[in-house]
Amino acid sequence: MAWPELSWIERFAPSPTGPLHLGHAYSALTAWDRAVENGGEFLLRIEDIDQSRCRPEWEVQIFEDLEWLGIWWPKPVLRQSERSLVYQKKIEKLWQQHALFACSCSRKDILDAPQEGTPILGSDGVVYPGTCSANIASPGDVGIPKNTALRLNMSYASSIGYLKDGKNCFSFVETGCSPEGQTGLIEFSADEAIETIGDIVLARRDMGTSYHLSVVLDDAFQGVTHVTRGQDLFEATKIHVILQKLLGLPTPVYHHHALIRDENGKRLAKRDDARAISKYRAEGATPQDIRYMVGL
Ligand code: GLU
């Protein structure tokens, strides 16, 4: 008898750039609990495209911390650093579709660009003012220029949503909530994406890919149906949904959870060693204590 197909696949996707802290424990345990409660599967993915910041010793510690928390995942683990060719192929395809353009602007160029009023701070940093947009490849252009970042032409990418009240729209299902409490069916328009996200970098000059492209390709490759992660990534989900449509990939159900904060209300960062899981472990805490600390 064949096993029924799993309809609930969660993942935890840390970058090995420092010790996991209570915020990571909350994310990983929430994803794990949801997978278990729904008879699904939990996957671990190591997001190590930025090799200048990732260290093997942090990866080892991630495995140790998660195992200690009582989490299990199928091995071998998927590492993004092993998937550069996949990312490169997609970039080439998007380039041929004229969905990308080369951009040699520095951060300073972008901030200093002539634009009306102050630069708009969007969900992915300052919205690109369009300085290099004229570089959009025209039919007949060949090869991707070397040593340059590639940006997504958002006007092109966001033209493929569905029509609602005469507007191009996109949507995803949110079972957690945004920092402002939005939940359920989240809809946004192409106009909003162009204004508040803009032409984001899809392939960094130094990496040939970006967090956004890799995360979308890998979630689809691993068959992830439910993404559980912190509310700091709620706005980035709009980018992910547009990319999924552009690349013909399914959109998972998203569950963004509140962030664990310190006593001053600041969200925890990797450098907050004081709240590292390994430190609590060394001090004799139990996994149950960690669950209690993060409110699970
Ligand atoms: N790799 C990201 C991080 O460590 C998480 C990405 C995601 O969950 O989509 O913050």
Side-chain angles (χ1 to χ4, degrees):
M1 192 188 83
W3 290 101
E5 243 183 81
L6 285 173
S7 58
W8 198 295
I9 302 182
E10 294 267 349
R11 51 69 162 180
F12 178 58
S15 298
T17 54
L20 294 187
H21 54 56
L22 286 183
H24 296 108
Y26 183 48
S27 232
L29 286 168
T30 305
W32 168 258
D33 288 352
R34 284 163 49 83
V36 171
E37 280 156 19
N38 291 285
E41 190 171 7
F42 172 97
L43 305 175
L44 176 65
R45 180 170 72 234
I46 298 294
E47 301 216 320
D48 57 353
I49 45 173
D50 189 350
Q51 286 283 304
S52 66
R53 294 175 58 229
C54 297
R55 301 273 175 275
E57 53 274 27
W58 293 129
E59 187 183 299
V60 171
Q61 195 165 330
I62 288 173
F63 297 156
E64 282 175 12
D65 287 346
L66 293 178
E67 271 168 18
W68 177 78
L69 283 171
I71 292 175
W72 186 91
W73 60 94
K75 281 103 184 165
V77 76
L78 189 77
R79 282 189 192 82
Q80 291 191 323
S81 56
E82 290 161 9
R83 290 184 35 86
S84 324
L85 267 182
V86 174
Y87 308 144
Q88 194 188 318
K89 286 235 155 63
K90 279 294 172 214
I91 286 289
E92 277 162 17
K93 194 158 172 262
L94 290 171
W95 176 260
Q96 279 153 13
Q97 267 175 262
H98 310 295
L100 305 176
F101 63 92
C103 173
S104 50
C105 295
S106 65
R107 263 174 227 270
K108 188 168 180 307
D109 293 338
I110 293 170
L111 286 173
D112 293 350
Q115 50 208 327
E116 283 171 45
T118 44
I120 304 164
L121 191 63
S123 52
D124 202 55
V126 173
V127 174
Y128 185 62
T131 324
C132 290
S133 304
N135 291 346
I136 294 173
S138 50
D141 278 356
V142 279
I144 304 179
K146 298 260 176 291
N147 282 323
T148 175
L150 299 175
R151 287 186 179 272
L152 180 68
N153 174 359
M154 187 56 89
S155 303
Y156 170 86
S158 62
S159 64
I160 47 172
Y162 55 87
L163 269 184
K164 190 178 171 191
D165 302 334
K167 281 185 170 177
N168 235 316
C169 290
F170 296 84
S171 63
F172 63 96
V173 174
E174 172 65 54
T175 59
C177 69
S178 74
E180 287 77 36
Q182 292 163 275
T183 188
L185 186 71
I186 309 291
E187 276 193 310
F188 59 98
S189 69
D191 292 346
E192 184 195 324
I194 294 166
E195 266 166 47
T196 66
I197 301 170
D199 300 337
I200 49 155
V201 170
L202 217 55
R204 270 172 51 173
R205 190 167 70 94
D206 55 339
M207 303 186 324
T209 183
S210 57
Y211 157 64
H212 299 303
L213 179 67
S214 298
V215 85
V216 158
L217 290 176
D218 293 346
D219 280 341
F221 175 68
Q222 294 189 287
V224 171
T225 58
H226 293 75
V227 172
T228 298
R229 59 188 182 188
Q231 280 173 347
D232 52 328
L233 288 167
F234 179 83
E235 287 299 326
T237 306
K238 296 177 181 171
I239 301 176
H240 301 168
V241 171
I242 292 174
L243 288 177
Q244 284 150 359
K245 282 277 166 295
L246 183 65
L247 298 163
L249 304 172
T251 294
V253 172
Y254 287 90
H255 185 91
H256 291 92
H257 58 71
L259 301 179
I260 303 288
R261 298 180 182 276
D262 65 16
E263 49 289 347
N264 301 316
K266 220 174 115 267
R267 62 178 268 223
L268 301 184
K270 288 247 170 75
R271 53 191 175 278
D272 284 322
D273 281 8
R275 287 165 181 86
I277 301 172
S278 51
K279 186 154 179 291
Y280 289 111
R281 256 167 71 190
E283 287 168 2
T286 64
Q288 202 47 49
D289 294 332
I290 301 286
R291 278 187 173 270
Y292 181 76
M293 276 185 245
V294 297
L296 284 174

